[in-house]
Amino acid sequence: MKILVSYFSASGVTKKVASKLAELLHADLEEIKPIQKYTNEDLDWRNKHSRSSIEMKDENSRSQIEKPIYDLSSYDVIFIGYPIWWYVEPRIVDTYLDGFNLEDKRIIPFATSGGSSISGSANHLRNLYKTAKIEDGILLNHEINETIFRKIIDGGK
């Protein structure tokens, strides 16, 4: 089974989790990189004029990203990781996923968050990418355990 771990990390927290996950699962690892990096000011969610606030208010907003290294069509399972922003995935994740044919692709979201659950983003992803097989996903704020992920990949068996 060929596995890809793709992730966006604004502060480095999700990057650590994604790196560990890829190592545990012997998966390929890909960072979703914005052309214009996010600054601390861009990430200030309390400022309604910050870049992240403006992007998240517009459902159709898409940040420009560097060209992905991997083609999702060659993978059996794709873990997609991100911090939770405004209860969903950052729009840059949507930019990344928009670039691929996701029909019948098995996608397992994982997220880091200071207080939100992943359910809102998993549902949001399902609404955007109706032909993909997007699972409930998992919030990873604590220890990462290979057994948990093997169970997820094997469908709970």
Side-chain angles (χ1 to χ4, degrees):
M1 180 174 301
K2 196 165 179 191
I3 303 169
L4 176 66
V5 175
S6 296
Y7 71 93
F8 166 69
S9 185
S11 66
V13 173
T14 307
K15 180 178 184 168
K16 288 179 190 172
V17 171
S19 297
K20 182 67 174 175
L21 177 58
E23 178 186 324
L24 287 171
L25 298 176
H26 308 287
D28 291 331
L29 180 66
E30 175 153 65
E31 180 177 6
I32 301 167
K33 295 180 184 177
I35 296 285
Q36 179 185 351
K37 297 204 183 288
Y38 288 87
T39 65
N40 288 337
E41 292 80 22
D42 291 336
L43 298 172
D44 184 358
W45 58 272
R46 295 167 298 212
N47 177 353
K48 65 182 178 179
H49 300 290
S50 73
R51 178 178 166 197
S52 59
S53 296
I54 291 168
E55 288 176 358
M56 295 308 291
K57 284 180 192 171
D58 180 1
E59 180 73 31
N60 296 312
S61 177
R62 297 293 188 266
S63 296
Q64 290 185 322
I65 61 172
E66 292 182 15
K67 185 177 184 205
I69 298 168
Y70 299 106
D71 178 358
L72 300 186
S73 67
S74 64
Y75 290 90
D76 302 302
V77 178
I78 299 134
F79 281 88
I80 185 87
Y82 46 84
I84 300 289
W85 287 6
W86 287 261
Y87 306 103
V88 295
E89 74 286 353
R91 302 288 185 234
I92 193 169
V93 172
D94 302 334
T95 303
Y96 175 76
L97 292 174
D98 285 350
F100 297 101
N101 176 359
L102 301 176
E103 187 169 356
D104 294 326
K105 279 292 163 196
R106 185 172 178 210
I107 299 175
I108 303 172
F110 68 94
T112 56
S113 173
S116 299
S117 79
I118 195 170
S119 62
S121 69
N123 289 332
H124 187 255
L125 288 168
R126 283 186 197 103
N127 286 331
L128 287 177
Y129 307 104
K130 295 182 186 320
T131 62
K133 297 174 185 171
I134 298 175
E135 300 188 10
D136 290 338
I138 186 166
L139 196 60
L140 295 174
N141 289 332
H142 305 290
E143 185 67 27
I144 300 171
N145 182 318
E146 181 178 7
T147 305
I148 292 169
F149 294 105
R150 288 287 168 202
K151 269 189 158 179
I152 289 169
I153 289 169
D154 295 339
K157 298 174 187 165

